[in-house]
Amino acid sequence: MNTAGRVVVSRRALWDGLVAKAGNALPFVPAMSSCEVVEKHSDAVFDRRIELHGQLFTERVTLEEPHRVVFTRLDGPVLGTIANEIEDAGDDLHLRFSFALVLAGIEGGSADERAYADGMTGDYLDAVVSTVDAVRRVVTGERP
């Protein structure tokens, strides 16, 4: 992530970016068209309502400072969990997104499930890049 010629992002800045993304993902995730916190359970746990590709979801967000944010889908056509994790590699940082999702009404291992996974993989790779880019903009004093 912190490669030569790029703005260096500290672990703290990356964590702060993930927290900002959890509260309002619109500057970080181009595929998302709405994101609103609907219930706060604690400083580290809250529910948000999002619209992604025209589909509505409610997610429980759990902030596991300083290394992971977990999104658990509570309702919507695709349930499961998504994790955004900061990993250390010496002086460098890595941001990893992982997901375990189940599509309602779609058989596990089917061609439909694989097609959905392939599409979502591209979306999540784009989300990693856009998240890191947004954090870099914040580090340089720009808006995400």
Side-chain angles (χ1 to χ4, degrees):
M1 189 171 109
N2 287 325
T3 57
R6 302 294 310 255
V7 173
V8 174
V9 175
S10 68
R11 171 181 264 287
R12 184 80 225 160
L14 185 54
W15 174 254
D16 290 346
L18 290 181
V19 171
K21 176 179 168 277
N24 178 17
L26 298 182
F28 300 88
V29 183
M32 194 175 291
S33 55
S34 71
C35 181
E36 176 186 6
V37 174
V38 294
E39 187 172 355
K40 192 160 176 128
H41 302 283
S42 71
D43 288 342
V45 180
F46 57 90
D47 294 346
R48 70 182 193 175
R49 189 83 173 145
I50 66 166
E51 184 173 350
L52 182 66
H53 297 298
Q55 297 179 316
L56 295 175
F57 301 92
T58 301
E59 296 178 326
R60 172 134 321 135
V61 179
T62 305
L63 306 173
E64 298 176 6
E65 188 172 0
H67 65 283
R68 180 177 33 234
V69 179
V70 178
F71 305 88
T72 303
R73 295 263 173 92
L74 302 177
D75 71 31
V78 181
L79 301 177
T81 60
I82 301 163
N84 296 183
E85 299 178 83
I86 300 172
E87 298 177 339
D88 290 301
D91 291 335
D92 199 5
L93 297 174
H94 296 276
L95 180 58
R96 180 171 59 119
F97 286 17
S98 60
F99 52 97
L101 302 173
V102 177
L103 285 76
I106 302 294
E107 185 178 336
S110 69
D112 287 341
E113 183 185 57
R114 282 189 300 280
Y116 182 84
D118 290 345
M120 290 309 295
T121 298
D123 282 349
Y124 285 115
L125 290 173
D126 290 347
V128 171
V129 170
S130 63
T131 297
V132 172
D133 288 346
V135 170
R136 280 195 175 100
R137 287 192 299 274
V138 170
V139 167
T140 61
E142 299 175 51
R143 294 179 59 122

